[in-house]
């Protein structure tokens, strides 16, 4: 479902709308001019990826990119919306399910549980790109790539002394912070915990004060950043965090075949680089967490399989009701569970 541009987006557009309008309505003579924007700071992977992309296009005089990092054209939800409307032709962002509930698919558990499978399923040429585009095209946006971040873990607060490895029997109804999303609440209740939805900004304080005993969906860098209140990181790998490299579909379809091929090739090369970068950063920050005294525990294949089966039996049927049987059939095939 497509909504009108939200009022909060207009304040961020400013001169961007004028430049984008020129981009969309005026035929390029010597070059294609377009905006590339994201909401993250220059120490985020989005910035490194954007710079790499521009480096890959540096020798091609056909493109003139107006690059806007740091959210100066809006937050990530606003940028998603502006891409839907064609104001921002290209952005790096996440799936905003307020525009289409099917984008909650990005939260689905145990699509993959290791880096090798993640590259096959989410990487360039992988099946998830087509699956997401089945949804995104209804919003007039198109994903030219999926950007990897990391797997989610369960982390335990200092002093709790719990080690829930065999789920759900060892979940012990531990109070665990999850994002305020119904799929996350249901997953960790089904895995034997007591899920408590808490906004990201309140996670540290909640762990510090003992409001919760644990946190779900913690990537390696987030575990390291919370190191002074944590004692254990359990690599449940129940969730693989990704972002979208989006373009406005009408703009993309209006490019020449040559320009589309060139941009897609540069994006593919950049995304391939980002996979090595993301996995390397994950391993780096897990080691930093170990060095700070955090006990990093890997689940056995059998323990992963047991947890995954709970998710397949409870969470996946509920998601099928949202996305429909056709998309779910493609997803099951991609995940290798049918």
């Amino acid at each position: 479902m497509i909504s009108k541009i939200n009022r909060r987006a207009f304040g961020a557009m400013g001169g961007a709308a004028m430049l984008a309008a020129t981009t969309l309505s005026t035929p390029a003579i010597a070059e294609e001019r377009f905006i590339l924007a994201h909401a993250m700071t220059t120490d985020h992977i989005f910035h490194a990826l954007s710079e790499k992309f521009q480096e890959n296009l540096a020798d091609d005089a056909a493109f003139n990119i107006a690059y806007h990092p740091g959210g100066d054209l809006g937050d990530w939800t606003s940028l998603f919306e502006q891409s839907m409307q064609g104001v921002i032709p290209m952005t790096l962002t996440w799936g905003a399910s307020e525009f289409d509930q099917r984008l909650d698919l990005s939260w689905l558990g145990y699509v993959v549980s290791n880096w090798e499978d993640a590259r096959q399923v989410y990487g360039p040429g992988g099946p998830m790109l087509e699956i997401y585009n089945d949804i995104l095209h209804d919003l007039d946006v198109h994903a030219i790539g999926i950007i990897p971040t990391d797997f989610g873990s369960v982390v335990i607060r200092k002093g709790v002394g719990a080690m829930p490895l065999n789920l759900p029997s060892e979940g012990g109804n531990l109070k665990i912070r999850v994002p305020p999303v119904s799929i996350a609440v249901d997953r960790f209740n089904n895995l034997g915990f007591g899920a408590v939805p808490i906004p990201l900004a309140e996670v540290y304080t909640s762990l510090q004060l003992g409001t919760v005993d644990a946190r779900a969906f913690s990537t390696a860098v987030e575990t390291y950043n919370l190191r002074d209140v944590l004692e254990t990181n359990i690599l449940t790998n129940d969730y693989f965090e990704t972002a979208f490299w989006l373009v406005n579909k009408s703009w993309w379809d209006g490019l020449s075949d040559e320009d589309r091929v060139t941009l897609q090739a540069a994006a593919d090369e950049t995304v391939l680089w980002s996979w090595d970068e993301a996995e390397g950063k994950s391993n780096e920050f897990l080691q930093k967490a170990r060095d700070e005294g955090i006990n990093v525990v890997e689940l056995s294949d059998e323990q992963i399989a047991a947890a995954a089966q709970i998710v397949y039996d409870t969470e996946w049927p509920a998601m099928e009701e949202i996305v429909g049987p056709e998309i779910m059939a493609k997803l099951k095939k991609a995940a290798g569970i049918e």
Side-chain angles (χ1 to χ4, degrees):
M1 66 191 140
I2 302 176
S3 67
K4 294 180 180 178
I5 291 184
N6 174 316
R7 284 188 180 86
R8 60 179 162 71
F10 281 109
M13 291 178 190
M18 185 177 298
L19 175 57
T22 303
T23 301
L24 295 174
S25 62
T26 304
I29 299 173
E31 61 185 20
E32 180 69 33
R33 303 181 67 215
F34 64 91
I35 296 171
L36 165 60
H38 62 78
M40 305 309 290
T41 59
T42 54
D43 60 356
H44 192 272
I45 185 63
F46 281 7
H47 177 65
L49 191 143
S50 299
E51 289 197 320
K52 193 76 173 177
F53 175 63
Q54 292 175 87
E55 288 173 15
N56 290 337
L57 287 174
D59 295 332
D60 196 319
F63 303 101
N64 184 340
I65 301 173
Y67 177 46
H68 290 268
D72 61 349
L73 299 183
D75 65 16
W76 70 270
T77 308
S78 173
L79 290 175
F80 186 99
E81 188 172 23
Q82 291 181 69
S83 290
M84 286 168 48
Q85 299 295 336
V87 175
I88 305 290
M90 183 180 287
T91 186
L92 310 176
T93 190
W94 292 272
S97 59
E98 53 261 60
F99 302 115
D100 192 320
Q101 190 182 2
R102 293 176 298 170
L103 289 173
D104 276 341
L105 188 65
S106 63
W107 292 100
L108 191 66
Y110 284 115
V111 178
V112 292
S113 60
N114 60 72
W115 280 99
E116 182 180 357
D117 288 346
R119 285 177 185 251
Q120 292 296 318
V121 174
Y122 289 91
M128 282 305 294
L129 198 59
E130 178 184 344
I131 290 169
Y132 278 127
N133 275 326
D134 284 344
I135 299 169
L136 293 166
H137 287 179
D138 289 343
L139 303 174
D140 200 28
V141 286
H142 172 73
I144 61 173
I146 297 175
I147 303 162
T149 302
D150 200 357
F151 282 95
S153 293
V154 167
V155 293
I156 310 295
R157 177 175 57 85
K158 281 183 177 178
V160 172
M163 189 74 70
L165 305 181
N166 297 296
L167 302 172
S169 61
E170 295 180 359
N173 206 34
L174 281 175
K175 293 181 294 182
I176 189 168
R177 179 270 169 181
V178 298
V181 180
S182 60
I183 190 172
V185 174
D186 291 344
R187 179 184 310 163
F188 281 89
N189 284 337
N190 290 330
L191 289 175
F193 297 87
V196 182
I198 294 175
L200 184 61
E202 299 174 21
V203 169
Y204 180 86
T205 303
S206 298
L207 288 165
Q208 185 183 46
L209 298 178
T211 307
V212 292
D213 305 305
R215 177 204 171 176
F217 296 87
S218 183
T219 61
V221 66
E222 291 170 320
T223 295
Y224 177 72
N225 289 339
L226 295 172
R227 60 193 179 278
D228 59 331
V229 293
L230 300 179
E231 63 183 15
T232 301
N233 181 9
I234 301 170
L235 299 173
T236 52
N237 287 13
D238 58 285
Y239 163 71
F240 188 63
E241 183 176 284
T242 60
F244 293 123
W245 192 331
L246 293 182
V247 293
N248 174 264
K249 189 174 185 299
S250 295
W251 171 77
W252 183 254
D253 290 345
L255 295 173
S256 68
D257 290 344
E258 181 181 359
D259 282 353
R260 258 196 321 274
V261 168
T262 300
L263 289 172
Q264 185 66 66
D268 286 347
E269 183 180 351
T270 306
V271 169
L272 281 172
W273 168 84
S274 77
W275 277 91
D276 290 335
E277 185 77 2
E279 185 174 4
K281 287 293 183 185
S282 177
N283 292 332
E284 175 188 340
F285 279 97
L286 283 177
Q287 187 56 52
K288 286 184 174 182
R290 292 185 186 98
D291 294 343
E292 292 291 333
I294 294 175
N295 185 23
V296 178
V297 183
E298 293 188 41
L299 296 184
S300 68
D301 291 343
E302 293 76 18
Q303 289 166 333
I304 288 277
Q309 193 59 55
I310 294 169
V311 170
Y312 297 151
D313 291 343
T314 58
E315 187 173 308
W316 284 51
M319 182 57 67
E320 184 168 348
E321 293 181 7
I322 296 172
V323 302
E326 184 177 343
I327 287 178
M328 209 62 189
K330 291 180 181 179
L331 185 59
K332 288 177 180 178
K333 182 178 179 181
I337 67 170
E338 279 196 1

